[in-house]
Amino acid sequence: MKRIILIKYGELTTKKDNRGFFIKTLRKNILNKLTDFNIEIKDDYYRMFIYCDEDDINKIVSILKSIFGIHEIVICISSTDTSVDNIKNISLDIMKNKTFKTFKVETNRSDKSYPIKSMEMNNIIGGHILKNINCKVDVHNPDYLLNIEIRCEGVYIYENRIKGLGGYPVSTLGRGLLMLSGGIDSPVAGYLTIKRGVELYYLYFESRPHTSIEARNKVITLARKLEKYNSNGKLLVVNFTKIQEAIYKNLDPDYLITIMRRMMYRIAEKVAKKNKCLAIVNGESVGQVASQTLSSILSVNDVTNFPILRPLCSFDKLDIIDISKKIDTYETSILPYEDCCTVFVPKHPVINPNLKHIYHEESLYDFSELLDEAVNNIEVVSLKEVKSDLL
Ligand code: ATP
Ligand code: MG
């Protein structure tokens, strides 16, 4: 008799032709996150079994809870002894420790040569429980559901079921480039994108000395927190100072934010292409600030045809905050260090920018060299060394 972990796949059950690829990637992602443990994984079309040391189960489950592509994590007792007496004993042992008034037994017999049919097994085990625990059967809405699976290699009896994060295994949908600021929104946008199977690189624009080393460290911390869900992310830091200063000194102050964001998108597109990213991701939410009115988004997006994902576009701030607390980025995000977007703030930022005016302003100064310089001098900050902090 042994406790093992059974994993039920997430939404990938709908991906008929790609299913093998999704399962293989999930397996690889799980192995990557569990390198510190002595485990063996067996998978089939419907589920995955993780065999590990009994003492590691809780630690492993807490890591599995942050891996996308898992619908449910089930701790079960497995035994090669499929005799009725053994199944009765295990079931009673499990249920003795649970609190419930009503229950139901559900048997699944994939070994069709097993002599007792599923319904009959439900009755036998149900009868045994009723004899030993003060409770009732409710087949429609039980407080406790006992699952028994009889397979060729043995029996599996579910002890505990834990909800997984769902989503797709990271990297099955390719790579994206997250514009990561130190704020509340972009880490949440990143998390939701990783959930859809997109592996992320992070792009941070800094404006030293106008922004501080603390502001950069804050972004590093946020990227590391996202690495709990992502795999092999890199933080790419753009030195944005000269571009911001050039905009500030030479162009219409009311258009400072709009033009600065156009420069960010221009750089992001080049960096994305260089790093084989298939989309840019950011934390914009319609209406949240002046630079996120529809007409601001239109004016900024005007510089690129590259796909821009805005997972938070319709989210209320309070809902974004809830997620940021859940993924543990909130406390870091609210640390009061300035972002490059907040160091040069115009008195009257335009809410409805005019494209013709933007083109005119941008023609007053040639940014091409500065843009190339920014792209060619990106600093890469590794996020690898933190793996042990994440456990
Ligand atoms: P956040 O809370 O994520 O900072 P915000 O509400 O403050 O967002 P903006 O400052 O307008 O909004 O930024 C919108 C998006 O642009 C951010 O969510 C982020 O994706 C990107 N962004 C802003 N500043 C930076 C930066 N310094 N580096 C990288 N991306 C940035
Ligand atoms: Mg911000």
Side-chain angles (χ1 to χ4, degrees):
M1 203 168 83
K2 194 170 165 32
R3 285 167 87 220
I4 61 167
I5 302 170
L6 185 163
I7 287 188
K8 301 207 171 175
Y9 305 138
E11 217 179 298
L12 58 115
T13 45
T14 57
K15 295 268 173 280
K16 281 205 184 82
D17 295 342
N18 289 328
R19 200 177 166 115
F21 168 63
F22 276 65
I23 294 170
K24 209 169 113 195
T25 309
L26 178 61
R27 183 194 174 100
K28 193 180 88 200
N29 292 350
I30 290 176
L31 282 169
N32 268 345
K33 296 280 181 191
L34 297 181
T35 46
D36 291 348
F37 299 93
N38 179 21
I39 59 161
E40 193 192 337
I41 298 185
K42 286 188 186 155
D43 58 60
D44 65 26
Y45 206 68
Y46 302 101
R47 82 279 292 305
M48 199 174 271
F49 293 101
I50 301 183
Y51 298 84
C52 61
D53 295 340
E54 178 91 9
D55 292 346
D56 291 335
I57 285 188
N58 289 343
K59 280 188 225 149
I60 290 178
V61 166
S62 78
I63 294 171
L64 293 172
K65 278 159 76 179
S66 62
I67 297 180
F68 288 120
I70 297 176
H71 166 67
E72 195 173 43
I73 305 155
V74 184
I75 300 171
C76 42
I77 313 270
S78 79
S79 172
T80 47
D81 176 359
T82 55
S83 69
V84 171
D85 278 347
N86 187 42
I87 299 177
K88 274 182 177 174
N89 290 340
I90 299 175
S91 302
L92 187 60
D93 268 357
I94 292 174
M95 291 186 65
K96 267 192 322 214
N97 302 318
K98 309 280 180 203
T99 323
F100 63 93
K101 286 203 177 107
T102 61
F103 77 103
K104 176 185 177 182
V105 181
E106 217 169 75
T107 305
N108 184 304
R109 192 179 55 125
S110 65
D111 174 10
K112 296 297 175 206
S113 68
Y114 189 75
I116 300 169
K117 294 214 163 101
S118 302
M119 283 298 281
E120 199 184 336
M121 185 61 100
N122 293 345
N123 291 336
I124 295 172
I125 303 301
H128 186 61
I129 301 296
L130 285 172
K131 223 189 275 172
N132 290 281
I133 299 176
N134 182 18
C135 58
K136 284 188 180 145
V137 171
D138 181 346
V139 290
H140 301 295
N141 194 17
D143 298 336
Y144 186 82
L145 175 66
L146 180 75
N147 289 88
I148 300 169
E149 285 193 39
I150 299 166
R151 296 162 65 89
C152 296
E153 72 273 16
V155 59
Y156 298 87
I157 305 174
Y158 293 12
E159 186 190 77
N160 245 331
R161 309 168 72 123
I162 299 138
K163 207 168 163 341
L165 277 186
Y168 294 130
V170 176
S171 95
T172 46
L173 270 290
R175 183 181 299 144
L177 183 66
L178 173 70
M179 295 170 64
L180 181 63
S181 66
I184 294 170
D185 303 322
S186 45
V188 174
Y191 169 80
L192 293 175
T193 308
I194 301 168
K195 181 170 187 180
R196 301 314 292 166
V198 178
E199 160 191 309
L200 289 183
Y201 278 8
Y202 312 98
L203 184 68
Y204 169 55
F205 294 85
E206 77 172 354
S207 218
R208 303 276 290 276
H210 312 294
T211 60
S212 61
I213 187 72
E214 285 83 6
R216 169 198 278 232
N217 287 338
K218 182 178 165 181
V219 172
I220 295 174
T221 305
L222 290 172
R224 286 176 173 175
K225 286 183 183 276
L226 286 173
E227 280 301 286
K228 181 174 170 190
Y229 307 97
N230 193 38
S231 63
N232 304 318
K234 277 187 195 169
L235 175 62
L236 310 172
V237 180
V238 180
N239 181 343
F240 204 45
T241 314
K242 285 186 189 164
I243 294 176
Q244 273 201 291
E245 286 176 352
I247 301 170
Y248 185 65
K249 282 180 195 145
N250 299 292
L251 309 186
D252 178 353
D254 292 353
Y255 274 70
L256 198 150
I257 299 277
T258 312
I259 293 174
M260 183 191 79
R261 295 192 65 75
R262 284 166 65 90
M263 298 301 165
M264 282 183 165
Y265 272 35
R266 286 182 171 112
I267 293 172
E269 177 181 342
K270 287 185 202 294
V271 176
K273 286 180 175 163
K274 249 185 162 174
N275 287 281
K276 299 192 170 55
C277 298
L278 305 175
I280 294 167
V281 185
N282 71 34
E284 287 173 338
S285 173
V286 172
Q288 200 189 81
V289 288
S291 62
Q292 296 169 18
T293 60
L294 282 186
S295 86
S296 288
I297 291 175
L298 177 86
S299 313
V300 173
N301 215 143
D302 169 69
V303 299
T304 176
N305 286 322
F306 208 70
I308 315 264
L309 307 184
R310 298 179 176 86
L312 303 184
C313 75
S314 63
F315 274 55
D316 285 354
K317 190 76 184 188
L318 288 178
D319 297 331
I320 299 171
I321 289 175
D322 279 351
I323 300 177
S324 76
K325 286 182 177 162
K326 197 180 92 187
I327 63 171
D328 190 34
T329 51
Y330 181 74
E331 294 300 331
T332 307
S333 292
I334 58 172
L335 294 172
Y337 307 120
E338 66 300 309
D339 181 48
C340 70
C341 293
T342 50
V343 286
F344 298 103
V345 187
K347 279 209 183 81
H348 309 287
V350 274
I351 291 176
N352 292 304
N354 178 303
L355 267 177
K356 268 196 193 144
H357 184 62
I358 291 173
Y359 297 154
H360 167 74
E361 287 296 310
E362 286 186 355
S363 73
L364 300 176
Y365 190 91
D366 183 3
F367 286 93
S368 52
E369 254 178 47
L370 289 184
L371 286 171
D372 286 343
E373 190 184 323
V375 173
N376 293 331
N377 290 295
I378 279 183
E379 189 185 335
V380 181
V381 178
S382 163
L383 301 166
K384 273 235 156 49
E385 69 273 20
V386 296
K387 192 167 174 290
S388 56
D389 307 349
L390 301 172
L391 296 178

